[in-house]
Amino acid sequence: MRGYGGRILFVDAGTGATRVQPVREEQARALLGGNGFAARLLVDHAPAGVDPYDAENPVVFAVGPVTDTSVPGNSRACVAAKSPLTGLFFDSTFGGRFPATMKRTGFDAVVITGRAKEPVYLRVTEDGATLQPARDLWGRTTRDTVHAVQEVEGPSSDVMAIGPAGEKRVRFAALATYWKNREGVAGRGGIGAVLGAKNVKAVSVAGARKTELADAAALKALIEERREPMTTGTKALSTYGTPFLVKPINTLGAFGAYNLRQETFAEALAISGEEMHAHYHDRDTTCLKCPVACGKQYEIRDGELAGLKAKMPEYETIFAFGSMLGNAHAGSLTRANDLCDLLGLDTITMGVTLAFLAEALERGWVSADEVGVPFGWGDWRGMLRLIEQTAAREGFGDRLAEGSWRLAESLHPEATRSVYAVKRLELPAHSARALKGLSVGYATATRGGSHHDTRPTPQYAAGFDRRGTEGKPEFAVRSQHFTAVGDSLVICRFTSERGYGLYVEEPYARMVRAITGWDVTVEELERVGERVINLERSFNVREGVRRAADVLPWRVMHEPIPDGPSAGMYCPPPELAAMLDRYYSIRGWDGDGVPTQERLAALGL
Ligand code: SF4
């Protein structure tokens, strides 16, 4: 099979036992790889109702046919598990160099189950996997761990590690890899805590297998053809990174602030990409062989945090620690981001949970004494301290480590009304009220509050009607297929959306044909996306998800945006219900959101 290693590696972290399973061609063609493989493996190997921290909850690392080819943004992989935050299927993708190196091991997926008695790291090579002692690494940051393991494994190895937060089972613990100043973080859903519960501190990969292409000339021609639109489309990303989004989205009145009481932030300019670039830009960083280089290294040159050199905060992070907290101290955003990466925390959940806490303090649902650290709107010093406490589960951090939904439930009967989360996953910085495609998109997303299930990008385009509900269920379905296919190939969203199209279209079919030699069509790829979504939904249905879980945050359904260019927008329950009816009907799911046997059978599931 071209484009694949053709093998899946199963590892028991408890015993060290491994086994290798070949990938059948029809399985590869039906699911592509990455997200698709992970969904199939979790449906098959995670027992129904398994506790996310149980040894039997598998962690799956998976690459796809695009990984380690010459397609821009190809060094991308997916890590998946049942999430300790949502209790549902979860996958998170990441870049750097690790994904390409993993592909060179000749394993398309590595499935880790079991629980080691002592801390270990997993060494994966072309020959299989072994467990290596990691007691000395326990307690160390993600970066220290990556560098320490690389010292042993050699410079051509790549390492993905958890930080102290994963060891302490913070429900939104992340994993990180480092390569030449480029950090790749699989942030969302708490998969770092699942690895921590297995006593697996890190995974190292090394190999030299090449990805064979069916038609290298056809792939080269496609990349050449798409070079110009990709370069033009990624110009702002190349210059500023994702923070370039702050200004336009704030101008649209869709930039959540003060725990979503507002959707414009008066001080947005101070934390915009342009402003931070002017003050802090040190150098560009990039994933392996990607010409976009959307990563930026910042250097804070003044104030209390002077001397700090760290990765820039992404747009979502600026929202979570900035506008949502009423915090316009730009340097503190870089520090908060750096802390989260080093300690292994998801920045979106961390920041949005703190925004909920700021409101809870104001409403008297929790006292300043209980929190124990001076904190409130705009208090960035308190924010930094609480991030550290969360990773260590120290003091009030132990409660923040549960995420905003569980914290709210523990505080007050009405407190969940102030939580900005869907299926217990905190929402990112693309408005559930000001973009109707995301209203239905978030409600139906496998992961809940994720902007990588239904995409915001097409909705910001001129000519897209973001205000009306007409056609939005259809849009969400198409967009979800697009993200499922992209995360199965696996390809970076930025290079794919801007270079190859916002939906599953002909350039993707050409890409898959050139890599694999299969005569795939756009229609066949669209069905792959649908198959992956239905597998994920089946996993979630098995865990109890029905229509009642497909809801939006209370504030999104009951409080219109108070002012600004999107004033008056929200998604009241009857409007959401009508969109859900339409969405289920397009999907061939019953009225309770359960895939019908007919639809599953038609998809070969
Ligand atoms: S666009 Fe950015 S995130 Fe995507 S592959 Fe390139 S450098 Fe990495």
Side-chain angles (χ1 to χ4, degrees):
M1 256 194 316
R2 306 298 168 84
Y4 290 86
R7 306 181 298 167
I8 295 176
L9 176 65
F10 290 82
V11 186
D12 185 328
T15 63
T18 63
R19 75 184 165 87
V20 176
Q21 184 180 296
V23 177
R24 287 175 292 109
E25 186 155 0
E26 63 268 28
Q27 176 191 1
R29 190 160 172 169
L31 296 164
L32 293 175
N35 182 184
F37 279 14
R40 181 78 263 172
L41 287 162
L42 281 172
V43 167
D44 291 347
H45 297 281
V50 71
D51 184 303
Y53 295 139
D54 192 282
E56 294 305 305
N57 184 22
V59 172
V60 179
F61 286 83
V63 291
V66 166
T67 316
D68 202 27
T69 62
S70 47
V71 176
N74 72 77
S75 187
R76 198 95 197 154
C78 139
V79 58
K82 182 178 180 182
S83 159
L85 190 64
T86 66
L88 305 173
F89 175 87
F90 213 101
D91 63 314
S92 190
T93 71
F94 61 97
R97 190 182 67 172
F98 182 108
T101 307
M102 177 176 158
K103 183 79 172 277
R104 292 174 198 176
T105 65
F107 293 110
D108 299 310
V110 177
V111 184
I112 308 167
T113 52
R115 178 164 194 232
K117 287 188 188 68
E118 292 279 311
V120 295
Y121 74 86
L122 187 67
R123 173 193 289 158
V124 181
T125 66
E126 292 175 48
D127 298 329
T130 54
L131 302 176
Q132 302 298 317
R135 173 142 290 288
D136 294 351
L137 301 173
W138 210 246
R140 293 171 72 174
T141 66
T142 54
R143 187 184 290 143
D144 273 4
T145 305
V146 167
H147 291 156
V149 175
Q150 251 178 344
E151 281 279 302
V152 178
E153 300 296 329
S156 60
S157 70
D158 278 291
V159 182
M160 193 82 184
I162 64 168
E167 299 167 13
K168 298 277 184 190
R169 300 187 188 184
V170 175
R171 286 187 191 271
F172 46 95
L175 298 89
T177 180
Y178 297 83
W179 173 69
K180 282 191 183 175
N181 288 318
R182 179 62 178 162
E183 302 178 23
V185 181
R188 311 224 65 198
I191 300 171
V194 181
L195 267 191
K198 296 186 181 312
N199 268 330
V200 175
K201 178 70 178 168
V203 175
S204 88
V205 288
R209 292 201 185 193
K210 287 209 163 28
T211 297
E212 283 182 35
L213 304 175
D215 190 342
L219 189 65
K220 190 161 179 252
L222 173 68
I223 294 166
E224 282 303 322
E225 236 175 79
R226 306 310 302 169
R227 192 180 303 282
E228 202 283 318
M230 198 195 78
T231 306
T232 310
T234 52
K235 200 165 183 319
L237 274 172
S238 289
T239 311
Y240 302 112
T242 54
F244 87 89
L245 289 166
V246 170
K247 269 212 308 206
I249 295 178
N250 191 56
T251 303
L252 208 63
F255 189 48
Y258 296 95
N259 199 30
L260 214 72
R261 285 179 180 167
Q262 294 170 216
E263 298 221 19
T264 45
F265 185 48
E267 294 168 281
L269 191 61
I271 54 172
S272 66
E274 292 83 344
E275 197 66 15
M276 292 208 282
H277 186 270
H279 285 105
Y280 304 138
H281 183 262
D282 180 28
R283 63 178 128 161
D284 295 345
T285 63
T286 193
C287 301
L288 183 69
K289 291 191 282 188
C290 177
V292 177
C294 74
K296 312 289 162 205
Q297 183 89 1
Y298 280 179
E299 181 179 359
I300 310 299
R301 301 186 180 97
D302 45 24
E304 243 174 89
L305 298 170
L308 172 67
K309 279 191 177 189
K311 178 177 174 278
M312 81 180 177
E314 300 285 351
Y315 167 66
E316 314 297 337
T317 307
I318 294 171
F319 150 85
F321 291 124
S323 56
M324 280 292 267
L325 280 169
N327 172 25
H329 186 282
S332 74
L333 305 182
T334 300
R335 178 63 183 144
N337 185 66
D338 194 39
L339 270 178
C340 287
D341 287 356
L342 293 173
L343 300 173
L345 290 165
D346 172 24
T347 60
I348 299 174
T349 289
M350 185 73 249
V352 174
T353 301
L354 287 172
F356 164 76
L357 176 64
E359 182 171 335
L361 275 160
E362 200 174 76
R363 288 179 181 268
W365 292 333
V366 61
S367 70
D369 277 355
E370 278 176 274
V371 175
V373 171
F375 180 66
W377 303 116
D379 186 343
W380 60 268
R381 292 179 191 82
M383 169 185 86
L384 296 177
R385 183 71 196 111
L386 287 169
I387 292 171
E388 289 170 335
Q389 285 199 344
T390 301
R393 276 192 177 271
E394 252 172 47
F396 198 76
D398 191 35
R399 299 181 66 186
L400 291 165
E402 295 293 292
S404 58
W405 187 271
R406 288 176 175 83
L407 174 62
E409 280 182 322
S410 74
L411 292 182
H412 189 273
E414 283 191 2
T416 54
R417 289 184 173 191
S418 299
V419 167
Y420 194 41
V422 171
K423 296 185 172 73
R424 300 184 181 185
L425 182 73
E426 290 73 10
L427 271 69
H430 303 279
S431 177
R433 293 190 289 201
L435 303 168
K436 291 289 181 194
L438 274 181
S439 303
V440 64
Y442 285 130
T444 55
T446 299
R447 291 175 280 204
S450 163
H451 58 299
H452 283 284
D453 287 41
T454 303
R455 288 296 288 154
T457 314
Q459 303 179 63
Y460 292 125
F464 189 97
D465 169 28
R466 69 183 174 92
R467 294 176 183 271
T469 58
E470 181 71 30
K472 297 309 181 293
E474 290 81 353
F475 164 76
V477 165
R478 253 191 113 191
S479 186
Q480 289 168 2
H481 292 174
F482 166 74
T483 56
V485 167
D487 292 347
S488 299
L489 286 174
V490 183
I491 181 170
C492 168
R493 194 86 70 227
F494 299 150
T495 53
S496 67
E497 284 188 336
R498 288 160 176 84
Y500 296 82
L502 293 163
Y503 302 97
V504 177
E505 284 165 343
E506 187 55 23
Y508 296 102
R510 282 175 66 188
M511 194 185 289
V512 177
R513 286 198 295 267
I515 293 171
T516 65
W518 300 326
D519 56 348
V520 299
T521 60
V522 170
E523 169 58 22
E524 180 177 339
L525 286 186
E526 190 79 28
R527 294 288 77 75
V528 171
E530 186 180 5
R531 193 172 293 118
V532 175
I533 296 295
N534 275 272
L535 265 174
E536 293 177 355
R537 184 72 177 188
S538 301
F539 184 102
N540 285 357
V541 163
R542 200 170 72 179
E543 301 301 319
V545 165
R546 298 290 184 276
R547 185 185 182 110
D550 293 343
V551 285
L552 290 165
W554 190 91
R555 189 159 271 160
V556 171
M557 295 195 293
H558 296 90
E559 290 180 10
I561 298 176
D563 48 29
S566 298
M569 290 188 75
Y570 71 131
C571 186
E575 185 178 293
L576 178 62
M579 284 201 282
L580 281 182
D581 285 341
R582 177 78 189 127
Y583 176 94
Y584 294 155
S585 133
I586 302 165
R587 283 237 169 273
W589 295 355
D590 71 16
D592 210 15
V594 177
T596 57
Q597 286 307 316
E598 295 73 31
R599 194 68 214 135
L600 292 178
L603 292 167
L605 297 173

